[in-house]
Each structure stands twice: as C-alpha cells, then as structure tokens.
Amino acid sequence: MQEKDVKNRDEMNDTGGLEDALNINADSDVAGSNHLSNPSGEDSETEKLQQEAAEWKDKYLRLVAEFDNFRKRNAKERLELIQTAGKDVITSLLDVMDDAERATRQLESGADSEAVKEGILLVFNKLRSTMQAKGLKAMKSTGEDFNPDLHEAITEIPAPSKDMQGKILDEVQKGYTLNDKIIRFAKVVVGK
C-alpha cells in the first residue's frame, strides 16, 4: 500500500497538483506572521497612545505653570504681609500721634515753661521718626485737588476763589501711607 501511495505522489508531482496542495509556503513573498498582525488596528492603537501621551504632557505643563503662578503669588503676598505686619500697631498709634500734634500746637501758642515744651516736642519728634523708620508717611492734602482714592470729604464749603474749587481747603485729620499703601484716608474739607 505504501508503494501505491508513493507512486500516486510521484504522478501528482509530475502534474504539480499534490505539491501545490501540500506546500503551505507557496507564496514566498508574504511574511509568515502576516496573517497574525492587523496593521490598521496597530496604527490606531499607536495613535491612541500618542494622543494620551500628549494629553498627559499638556496636563503636566499646565500643572507646572499653575504651581509657578502659585509660588510667585505666595511670595508677593508674603512680601506684602511683611511690609504691613505692623499695620495694626501703627494704626492704633496714629491717634496718639494726632494728640501729640495737637498738644504741640497748643504748647507753641501757650506761655508754658520752655522745658515742658521742649520735652513734649522731643517725645513727639521721636515718635514721628520711629514711625517714619517703619515706613509711615503723612499725606500732604491742603491745597491739593480732591482725590476720592486718597481723601475722605467731611464737608464742602464755598471756595474763597474760583481756582480753589474742587481743591482741599482744610485737613481735619491727616492721611497716612505705610510702605506706599494707604492705611488711613485724609479727612478733608473741600471747596465748592
């Protein structure tokens, strides 16, 4: 029986039928793993991964920028806090300074002894210089144009001349800035 099979195979080889039927690698130009891969599915998965990587990169860059903005804002707020740290103390001392200024004016006009006058002036000047060293500055208001960002109008009175209309005629209470930030508005009388 084996001889018969070999004989039939030889006959088929002569005709080429069996050889083509048994040869599974008949197409030598096609890769053997070609039937296992799907090029279109592989490309879409690669594109999907690249898109996901781009989204993560974008999120990362935005997060870095947001953190940098936070760091800068925090440093700015810390600097402002340091500059105005004594605001409450200095604000409470402003009334004392006003009283000392009034007493100085009273002493200059009165006939009290010269020693008392010098003592009060010395205390007042020391208080003023200490507060100025901490960044406190008095605003100049009398004769200036009224500015609602700097001044608080207490009242309006008729201006003595036309060029004094809208200008500050009198200062009831001084305004102060601490490190160029207003901590108290000047209370003024405005000419109308």
Side-chain angles (χ1 to χ4, degrees):
M1 184 161 183
Q2 288 179 350
E3 280 181 37
K4 215 180 194 186
D5 286 336
V6 171
K7 193 175 186 185
N8 284 341
R9 198 175 343 148
D10 288 340
E11 286 175 9
M12 289 184 110
N13 279 346
D14 291 340
T15 60
L18 181 63
E19 187 176 305
D20 288 341
L22 292 177
N23 188 359
I24 56 173
N25 291 326
D27 192 0
S28 63
D29 295 335
V30 178
S33 62
N34 195 26
H35 68 284
L36 297 176
S37 65
N38 185 355
S40 62
E42 194 172 85
D43 287 346
S44 66
E45 187 175 345
T46 303
E47 289 174 2
K48 187 177 179 182
L49 289 173
Q50 286 176 342
Q51 185 179 16
E52 187 175 87
E55 288 174 5
W56 279 107
K57 183 179 179 181
D58 183 53
K59 285 181 183 180
Y60 170 76
L61 291 175
R62 288 179 188 270
L63 187 62
V64 167
E66 187 176 333
F67 178 75
D68 190 45
N69 290 340
F70 167 77
R71 187 179 50 78
K72 288 177 184 175
R73 186 174 52 248
N74 196 13
K76 182 181 176 186
E77 289 173 355
R78 187 173 47 241
L79 181 64
E80 287 179 3
L81 182 65
I82 289 169
Q83 288 179 342
T84 59
K87 178 182 175 183
D88 294 333
V89 174
I90 291 177
T91 303
S92 65
L93 289 175
L94 290 177
D95 292 331
V96 175
M97 192 166 176
D98 291 339
D99 291 340
E101 196 169 78
R102 285 188 209 103
T104 304
R105 274 189 255 136
Q106 190 67 24
L107 286 174
E108 288 174 351
S109 65
D112 292 301
S113 78
E114 194 64 31
V116 174
K117 184 177 176 181
E118 284 182 34
I120 291 176
L121 285 173
L122 183 65
V123 170
F124 177 69
N125 289 333
K126 187 174 183 179
L127 176 63
R128 182 186 300 158
S129 65
T130 302
M131 293 180 80
Q132 285 175 348
K134 297 291 184 185
L136 183 72
K137 292 181 186 171
M139 288 188 222
K140 182 181 181 305
S141 298
T142 307
E144 300 286 321
D145 289 331
F146 176 73
N147 183 350
D149 293 332
L150 303 174
H151 308 114
E152 182 180 337
I154 300 296
T155 187
E156 286 184 333
I157 60 171
S161 64
K162 198 166 192 128
D163 62 321
M164 290 300 288
Q165 289 180 346
K167 295 201 183 248
I168 298 169
L169 301 177
D170 189 23
E171 187 176 54
V172 177
Q173 190 177 49
K174 281 188 178 184
Y176 289 94
T177 61
L178 180 63
N179 296 319
D180 298 325
K181 286 188 114 183
I182 297 173
I183 60 170
R184 185 170 83 179
F185 295 96
K187 293 183 181 179
V188 296
V189 177
V190 181
K192 65 174 179 173

